[in-house]
Amino acid sequence: MDRHPDTAITPYLAGDLPPGERAEVAAHLERCARCHATATEFRALLDELALTPPAMGEADRTRYAADVRRKLLSRSRESAAARPGWRWRPVPLAFSAALAGVLVFLAVHGLVREPRVAEITTVEEAVLGQRFELVRQYPLIENLDLLEDLEVIRHLDRLADTREGSAPAPREG
Amino acid sequence: MELSDEALCERVGLGDHEAFDLLVERYRDRAYRVAWSIVRHAEDARDVSQEAFIRLHQAAASFHGRARFSTWFYRMVVNLGLDHRRRHRWWRRVFDATDRRENDDRTIERLPAPEAPPDEDIARSQTMSRVWAAVERLSPQQRAAITLQVDGLSAAEIATVLGCSEATVRVHLHRGLSTLRKTVGAT
């Protein structure tokens, strides 16, 4: 070990080094006066620190354990006192559950669906009912989008007559 | 036969009040010292250390002996001390110019060294040993490392408690003791 093992001195003094490193530091301290003096003074400082650590006043030490028990008991009581709150919590919980149930009901029964779908179905039924005779031309109408081609359907009979060369039939109503 | 700290902690987890009282008795002074090294205030150190015992009581069932009890417990004390410093920072800004430079940091590693202790701490430190009075003026990292070293923790354990590497712990110890050497030697 050529360099000074500065940061290894304290672990060395504490017996905290692995055997190999410990032997190297020990050998260095024997031949290096500077590091030997450092280790000696560090040892004295650590010994004094161990003898006179910061301590609580005697009164605080005496009642320390009782204070801890009192605080622990107080925390337990606070936790237990919080539990009766559950008596009030079912009310908002029930309200939330009821609201969720209403939303689920609405979703299942289609009230949140696009209203246009129901209207389209109704309109389709109404048009077909008025133009029941168009069923005869089913191969034509089955490929039509009813609402978009409503105008075509309205004049379908007229278109058929035109193809055959006859004059268009007058509009009804 | 005296039970180990780990065995006592396991019993605390099972609801053994006597085991808890025994751990409090064993670690009362050490917990106070470690807390003091973080908060540097006697009453706060007492409160922080007591809070650590309460947390111990609540968490004992989850200890499972994964580490040494002292390492696990000291880490709790250090974290509570750091939380205490963060919570009381606004108060310190108004009444204590010493901590105005300190940042809102998550680990002890990033806490800057204090400029000078407040007047009340100077008065208190006069009743302490001269060496501990000098420790009070070290950086938080060095204070904590030296306090834990004096309590018998290895560098690896100190690293676990402080959340840093073992090499960093060695540096803190060396620099802290070097500063103490100059300060105490000069008085």
Side-chain angles (χ1 to χ4, degrees), chain B:
Chain B
M1 190 175 75
E2 191 174 272
L3 289 174
S4 66
D5 297 338
E6 290 73 20
L8 285 175
C9 186
E10 188 177 344
R11 290 194 176 192
V12 173
L14 297 172
D16 188 337
H17 298 299
E18 285 185 11
F20 179 70
D21 289 343
L22 201 49
L23 278 176
V24 170
E25 183 66 28
R26 282 187 189 179
Y27 279 85
R28 172 191 56 199
D29 296 331
R30 285 181 275 183
Y32 174 81
R33 281 198 294 275
V34 173
W36 174 85
S37 73
I38 307 295
V39 301
R40 291 191 307 142
H41 188 275
E43 286 183 17
D44 291 348
R46 185 194 64 210
D47 293 341
V48 166
S49 63
Q50 288 177 346
E51 181 64 27
F53 282 112
I54 293 171
R55 297 290 178 94
L56 156 65
H57 189 273
Q58 294 168 343
S62 63
F63 173 57
H64 300 312
R66 286 170 293 182
R68 272 186 63 181
F69 171 81
S70 58
T71 307
W72 178 71
F73 179 62
Y74 284 146
R75 189 169 177 86
M76 214 179 287
V77 175
V78 167
N79 288 337
L80 285 169
L82 293 173
D83 288 345
H84 181 88
R85 288 178 65 94
R86 279 193 294 270
R87 281 198 305 273
H88 291 77
R89 188 162 293 110
W90 67 268
W91 179 85
R92 289 175 183 272
R93 280 204 201 98
V94 176
F95 293 103
D96 180 5
T98 300
D99 293 345
R100 277 182 188 167
R101 292 184 313 144
E102 292 184 8
N103 301 318
D104 184 16
D105 298 311
R106 295 185 181 181
T107 69
I108 193 173
E109 284 301 304
R110 299 175 65 186
L111 289 177
E115 291 175 349
D119 289 341
E120 62 174 5
D121 284 350
I122 291 176
R124 178 172 57 84
S125 68
Q126 287 173 348
T127 65
M128 299 167 53
S129 76
R130 60 195 182 106
V131 180
W132 278 106
V135 169
E136 197 171 7
R137 292 191 286 275
L138 295 175
S139 71
Q141 303 91 325
Q142 293 166 5
R143 275 202 312 269
I146 288 176
T147 302
L148 292 167
Q149 169 75 49
V150 170
D151 273 352
L153 269 68
S154 66
E157 289 168 334
I158 296 172
T160 301
V161 172
L162 299 184
C164 62
S165 68
E166 190 173 335
T168 301
V169 169
R170 289 189 180 192
V171 170
H172 290 327
L173 289 171
H174 180 73
R175 289 181 180 171
L177 288 172
S178 296
T179 302
L180 291 180
R181 184 185 178 192
K182 291 175 191 173
T183 307
V184 173
T187 56

Side-chain angles (χ1 to χ4, degrees), chain A residues 16 41 52 61 64 71 75, chain B residues 28 49-51 132 155:
Chain A
D16 198 15
E41 293 187 41
T52 57
R61 289 185 82 245
Y64 189 94
K71 289 181 180 180
R75 295 286 174 87
Chain B
R28 172 191 56 199
S49 63
Q50 288 177 346
E51 181 64 27
W132 278 106

Side-chain angles (χ1 to χ4, degrees), chain A residues 4 12 18 26-27 41 44 51 69 75 87 101 107 115 135 142 145 150 156 162 171:
Chain A
H4 300 292
Y12 168 80
E41 293 187 41
L51 284 174
R69 279 194 295 272
R75 295 286 174 87
R87 292 182 199 148
V135 175
E142 71 174 337
D145 182 298
L150 195 58
L156 195 59
T162 302
R171 283 191 183 184

